[in-house]
Amino acid sequence: MDIRHLELLRELAERGSVTAVARATYRTPSAVSQQLKTAQREFGAELVEPSGRGLRLTEAGRVLAEGGATVATAVERARAHWDAFRGEPAGTVAVAALPSAATFLFPEVMRELADTAITLRCADVDLAETEFADLAADHDIVIAHSLTSVRPAGAEGLTVRPLAREPLDIAMAADHPLADRASVSPADLVDCEWIGVPVGYPFDTVLRMIEQATGRELRVVQRLVDNRLIEALVASGDQIAVLPRFTTPPTAATSGGGMVLRALTGLPSARHVSAVLRPDKAERLAVQRVLRSFERVGAEVEDRFRHHA
């Protein structure tokens, strides 16, 4: 049994197409297809079948793909034992994170790891919740978020570690009519104009919950992804928005006079920030070391804001 064939089937299972596997493994699609034919001859079974213009795994292929994931985890576990025998964890750890979470996690984690033999290779990505899990194929750690669960949608079969639970507040200009309140309820917000995020992004779930609680449709006049841009527009206008508490300045200095955050009552308006990774990558000592740092920093930030609330 050629382990490389198991790895190939696993990649096809997780990436979904021959083209995606070829791109990720620096091969041509024809080379990947040829290796799939070789694997079928080796195992004596049909492992893939036509699906539209591409290929998908058969039941036999899925069984072997699961075996590939098991083998990969065992190999990384053995490598971790060897690294532990040789000394401290070392190597490059690739991390992809949503920008608003990276803002409160990356600086302290980078400082903590600066004197170790670990190199962080970081990327910031802002995606719909269901798309974060796909990044685990190409990164050691993916930092994602979800309003409904510690495990983001689409992360089935992946290792998930909770890092922090962050309140989502309602942002408004300092001179907004609601700014003199300590907190706001769904009923307070139904007549406001909103700056939202694209449909499918976690913050949009808060708006959907407000609509369900009040039976009213909210007026969303803009849908944007950059929190700094949203802050500037909120501070200088009449619109309100959902923004994360840990990294949103409570008073943004702008020509409009600033911005304030108000807690939303009556609804579970908080997001789970979690690390998502392949089970085999979770076995690497360097990855485990980085995860511990993310967990520590996330817990400290959460605790600091809890005591300042």
Side-chain angles (χ1 to χ4, degrees):
M1 182 176 289
D2 192 330
I3 292 178
R4 292 173 298 179
H5 291 157
L6 296 179
E7 293 173 347
L8 178 62
L9 293 168
R10 180 200 183 185
E11 291 293 336
L12 182 57
E14 296 197 0
R15 298 183 186 276
S17 73
V18 169
T19 301
V21 172
R23 187 184 304 115
T25 57
Y26 304 100
R27 288 176 280 189
T28 65
S30 60
V32 173
S33 296
Q34 187 59 46
Q35 288 175 320
L36 287 171
K37 291 178 182 178
T38 301
Q40 291 187 137
R41 288 196 298 270
E42 175 191 350
F43 291 110
E46 293 293 323
L47 305 179
V48 293
E49 60 188 6
S51 176
R53 294 184 177 181
L55 296 173
R56 66 182 178 188
L57 293 174
T58 62
E59 184 177 355
R62 289 192 294 271
V63 168
L64 291 172
E66 292 174 3
T70 300
V71 169
T73 300
V75 168
E76 290 297 342
R77 187 175 297 124
R79 183 175 288 126
H81 289 318
W82 177 243
D83 289 344
F85 174 77
R86 292 193 304 171
E88 67 172 331
T92 298
V93 176
V95 183
L98 68 146
S100 56
T103 299
F104 72 82
L105 290 170
F106 277 8
E108 180 61 27
V109 169
M110 287 180 173
R111 281 193 291 269
E112 185 174 303
L113 299 174
D115 295 327
T116 71
I118 297 172
T119 300
L120 285 184
R121 188 174 76 244
C122 300
D124 58 331
V125 290
D126 207 342
L127 303 169
E129 178 181 341
T130 57
E131 297 175 328
F132 277 98
D134 293 339
L135 299 175
D138 297 310
H139 297 82
D140 297 301
I141 300 172
V142 177
I143 297 176
H145 60 165
S146 171
L147 262 72
T148 57
S149 172
V150 169
R151 179 177 296 276
E156 295 76 14
L158 297 174
T159 296
V160 176
R161 301 271 282 271
L163 302 181
R165 188 172 183 272
E166 179 178 19
L168 299 177
D169 292 331
I170 306 301
M172 62 193 71
D175 58 358
H176 192 279
L178 296 175
D180 60 351
R181 305 187 184 192
S183 60
V184 291
S185 69
D188 297 327
L189 306 173
V190 293
D191 293 322
C192 296
E193 289 188 345
W194 290 79
I195 299 175
V197 295
V199 175
Y201 282 55
F203 291 6
D204 191 53
T205 303
V206 177
L207 274 64
R208 303 286 75 77
M209 290 192 298
I210 293 173
E211 290 180 331
Q212 291 173 5
T214 62
R216 296 274 299 278
E217 183 177 353
L218 300 181
R219 288 180 290 161
V220 182
V221 297
Q222 303 285 348
R223 289 191 179 273
L224 305 168
V225 297
D226 186 271
N227 285 350
R228 300 290 88 86
L229 173 58
I230 294 173
E231 290 168 14
L233 294 176
V234 166
S236 61
D238 297 326
Q239 291 82 27
I240 64 175
V242 175
L243 286 172
R245 183 177 298 178
F246 294 167
T247 54
T248 302
T251 55
T254 72
S255 59
M259 180 188 69
V260 297
L261 297 176
R262 295 294 178 257
L264 175 60
T265 61
L267 292 175
S269 58
R271 66 171 175 175
H272 300 277
V273 177
S274 302
V276 178
L277 58 166
R278 280 182 169 183
D280 54 309
K281 293 179 179 180
E283 295 293 337
R284 285 185 56 202
L285 283 191
V287 170
Q288 292 176 22
R289 175 65 181 82
V290 174
L291 274 176
R292 288 197 300 273
S293 185
F294 277 128
E295 289 171 331
R296 183 190 63 77
V297 173
E300 287 185 355
V301 171
E302 185 177 344
D303 188 63
R304 182 164 67 247
F305 275 82
R306 184 185 300 113
H307 284 90
H308 288 172

PDB file of all heavy atoms in Angstrom, residues 95-109:
ATOM      1  N   VAL A  95      -0.152  30.403   9.863  1.00  0.00           N
ATOM      2  CA  VAL A  95      -1.400  30.763  10.539  1.00  0.00           C
ATOM      3  C   VAL A  95      -2.203  31.703   9.649  1.00  0.00           C
ATOM      4  O   VAL A  95      -1.671  32.698   9.155  1.00  0.00           O
ATOM      5  CB  VAL A  95      -1.130  31.452  11.887  1.00  0.00           C
ATOM      6  CG1 VAL A  95      -2.446  31.763  12.603  1.00  0.00           C
ATOM      7  CG2 VAL A  95      -0.235  30.587  12.766  1.00  0.00           C
ATOM      8  N   ALA A  96      -3.466  31.383   9.447  1.00  0.00           N
ATOM      9  CA  ALA A  96      -4.402  32.279   8.766  1.00  0.00           C
ATOM     10  C   ALA A  96      -5.467  32.681   9.769  1.00  0.00           C
ATOM     11  O   ALA A  96      -6.003  31.832  10.487  1.00  0.00           O
ATOM     12  CB  ALA A  96      -5.038  31.597   7.556  1.00  0.00           C
ATOM     13  N   ALA A  97      -5.774  33.973   9.841  1.00  0.00           N
ATOM     14  CA  ALA A  97      -6.710  34.443  10.860  1.00  0.00           C
ATOM     15  C   ALA A  97      -7.561  35.588  10.334  1.00  0.00           C
ATOM     16  O   ALA A  97      -7.102  36.390   9.507  1.00  0.00           O
ATOM     17  CB  ALA A  97      -5.954  34.906  12.100  1.00  0.00           C
ATOM     18  N   LEU A  98      -8.783  35.666  10.825  1.00  0.00           N
ATOM     19  CA  LEU A  98      -9.595  36.819  10.518  1.00  0.00           C
ATOM     20  C   LEU A  98      -8.972  38.048  11.172  1.00  0.00           C
ATOM     21  O   LEU A  98      -8.451  37.965  12.297  1.00  0.00           O
ATOM     22  CB  LEU A  98     -11.029  36.622  10.990  1.00  0.00           C
ATOM     23  CG  LEU A  98     -11.300  36.562  12.483  1.00  0.00           C
ATOM     24  CD1 LEU A  98     -12.655  37.190  12.798  1.00  0.00           C
ATOM     25  CD2 LEU A  98     -11.299  35.113  12.963  1.00  0.00           C
ATOM     26  N   PRO A  99      -8.939  39.179  10.488  1.00  0.00           N
ATOM     27  CA  PRO A  99      -8.181  40.334  10.971  1.00  0.00           C
ATOM     28  C   PRO A  99      -8.564  40.812  12.367  1.00  0.00           C
ATOM     29  O   PRO A  99      -7.689  41.148  13.179  1.00  0.00           O
ATOM     30  CB  PRO A  99      -8.472  41.413   9.917  1.00  0.00           C
ATOM     31  CG  PRO A  99      -8.781  40.648   8.678  1.00  0.00           C
ATOM     32  CD  PRO A  99      -9.507  39.417   9.139  1.00  0.00           C
ATOM     33  N   SER A 100      -9.860  40.850  12.685  1.00  0.00           N
ATOM     34  CA  SER A 100     -10.265  41.390  13.976  1.00  0.00           C
ATOM     35  C   SER A 100      -9.810  40.511  15.137  1.00  0.00           C
ATOM     36  O   SER A 100      -9.564  41.011  16.239  1.00  0.00           O
ATOM     37  CB  SER A 100     -11.781  41.605  14.029  1.00  0.00           C
ATOM     38  OG  SER A 100     -12.472  40.406  13.736  1.00  0.00           O
ATOM     39  N   ALA A 101      -9.682  39.208  14.921  1.00  0.00           N
ATOM     40  CA  ALA A 101      -9.138  38.328  15.964  1.00  0.00           C
ATOM     41  C   ALA A 101      -7.621  38.389  15.986  1.00  0.00           C
ATOM     42  O   ALA A 101      -6.991  38.378  17.047  1.00  0.00           O
ATOM     43  CB  ALA A 101      -9.606  36.896  15.738  1.00  0.00           C
ATOM     44  N   ALA A 102      -7.009  38.458  14.794  1.00  0.00           N
ATOM     45  CA  ALA A 102      -5.557  38.564  14.730  1.00  0.00           C
ATOM     46  C   ALA A 102      -5.068  39.807  15.463  1.00  0.00           C
ATOM     47  O   ALA A 102      -3.992  39.810  16.068  1.00  0.00           O
ATOM     48  CB  ALA A 102      -5.107  38.597  13.270  1.00  0.00           C
ATOM     49  N   THR A 103      -5.859  40.856  15.449  1.00  0.00           N
ATOM     50  CA  THR A 103      -5.459  42.120  16.072  1.00  0.00           C
ATOM     51  C   THR A 103      -5.207  41.967  17.559  1.00  0.00           C
ATOM     52  O   THR A 103      -4.262  42.542  18.107  1.00  0.00           O
ATOM     53  CB  THR A 103      -6.531  43.196  15.822  1.00  0.00           C
ATOM     54  OG1 THR A 103      -6.670  43.397  14.411  1.00  0.00           O
ATOM     55  CG2 THR A 103      -6.158  44.515  16.475  1.00  0.00           C
ATOM     56  N   PHE A 104      -6.033  41.186  18.255  1.00  0.00           N
ATOM     57  CA  PHE A 104      -5.802  41.045  19.693  1.00  0.00           C
ATOM     58  C   PHE A 104      -4.995  39.798  20.053  1.00  0.00           C
ATOM     59  O   PHE A 104      -4.560  39.665  21.198  1.00  0.00           O
ATOM     60  CB  PHE A 104      -7.122  41.098  20.483  1.00  0.00           C
ATOM     61  CG  PHE A 104      -8.031  39.904  20.365  1.00  0.00           C
ATOM     62  CD1 PHE A 104      -7.816  38.775  21.133  1.00  0.00           C
ATOM     63  CD2 PHE A 104      -9.124  39.919  19.513  1.00  0.00           C
ATOM     64  CE1 PHE A 104      -8.668  37.674  21.051  1.00  0.00           C
ATOM     65  CE2 PHE A 104      -9.990  38.837  19.421  1.00  0.00           C
ATOM     66  CZ  PHE A 104      -9.751  37.703  20.190  1.00  0.00           C
ATOM     67  N   LEU A 105      -4.720  38.917  19.084  1.00  0.00           N
ATOM     68  CA  LEU A 105      -3.954  37.706  19.364  1.00  0.00           C
ATOM     69  C   LEU A 105      -2.505  37.784  18.884  1.00  0.00           C
ATOM     70  O   LEU A 105      -1.580  37.387  19.594  1.00  0.00           O
ATOM     71  CB  LEU A 105      -4.628  36.497  18.707  1.00  0.00           C
ATOM     72  CG  LEU A 105      -5.963  36.047  19.299  1.00  0.00           C
ATOM     73  CD1 LEU A 105      -6.605  34.999  18.390  1.00  0.00           C
ATOM     74  CD2 LEU A 105      -5.778  35.484  20.697  1.00  0.00           C
ATOM     75  N   PHE A 106      -2.287  38.258  17.665  1.00  0.00           N
ATOM     76  CA  PHE A 106      -0.963  38.168  17.044  1.00  0.00           C
ATOM     77  C   PHE A 106       0.138  38.920  17.793  1.00  0.00           C
ATOM     78  O   PHE A 106       1.242  38.375  17.969  1.00  0.00           O
ATOM     79  CB  PHE A 106      -1.024  38.661  15.603  1.00  0.00           C
ATOM     80  CG  PHE A 106      -1.496  37.617  14.610  1.00  0.00           C
ATOM     81  CD1 PHE A 106      -1.989  36.395  15.034  1.00  0.00           C
ATOM     82  CD2 PHE A 106      -1.450  37.867  13.249  1.00  0.00           C
ATOM     83  CE1 PHE A 106      -2.434  35.442  14.134  1.00  0.00           C
ATOM     84  CE2 PHE A 106      -1.884  36.921  12.333  1.00  0.00           C
ATOM     85  CZ  PHE A 106      -2.376  35.706  12.773  1.00  0.00           C
ATOM     86  N   PRO A 107      -0.059  40.185  18.194  1.00  0.00           N
ATOM     87  CA  PRO A 107       1.076  40.917  18.771  1.00  0.00           C
ATOM     88  C   PRO A 107       1.724  40.219  19.967  1.00  0.00           C
ATOM     89  O   PRO A 107       2.945  40.051  20.015  1.00  0.00           O
ATOM     90  CB  PRO A 107       0.446  42.261  19.175  1.00  0.00           C
ATOM     91  CG  PRO A 107      -0.682  42.429  18.217  1.00  0.00           C
ATOM     92  CD  PRO A 107      -1.247  41.048  18.047  1.00  0.00           C
ATOM     93  N   GLU A 108       0.907  39.796  20.938  1.00  0.00           N
ATOM     94  CA  GLU A 108       1.467  39.166  22.130  1.00  0.00           C
ATOM     95  C   GLU A 108       2.037  37.784  21.811  1.00  0.00           C
ATOM     96  O   GLU A 108       3.087  37.395  22.345  1.00  0.00           O
ATOM     97  CB  GLU A 108       0.403  39.064  23.227  1.00  0.00           C
ATOM     98  CG  GLU A 108       0.891  38.430  24.518  1.00  0.00           C
ATOM     99  CD  GLU A 108       2.036  39.206  25.159  1.00  0.00           C
ATOM    100  OE1 GLU A 108       2.127  40.426  24.956  1.00  0.00           O
ATOM    101  OE2 GLU A 108       2.853  38.575  25.860  1.00  0.00           O
ATOM    102  N   VAL A 109       1.371  37.016  20.944  1.00  0.00           N
ATOM    103  CA  VAL A 109       1.883  35.696  20.567  1.00  0.00           C
ATOM    104  C   VAL A 109       3.225  35.830  19.860  1.00  0.00           C
ATOM    105  O   VAL A 109       4.166  35.066  20.124  1.00  0.00           O
ATOM    106  CB  VAL A 109       0.865  34.956  19.670  1.00  0.00           C
ATOM    107  CG1 VAL A 109       1.490  33.710  19.048  1.00  0.00           C
ATOM    108  CG2 VAL A 109      -0.360  34.567  20.487  1.00  0.00           C
TER     109      VAL A 109
END
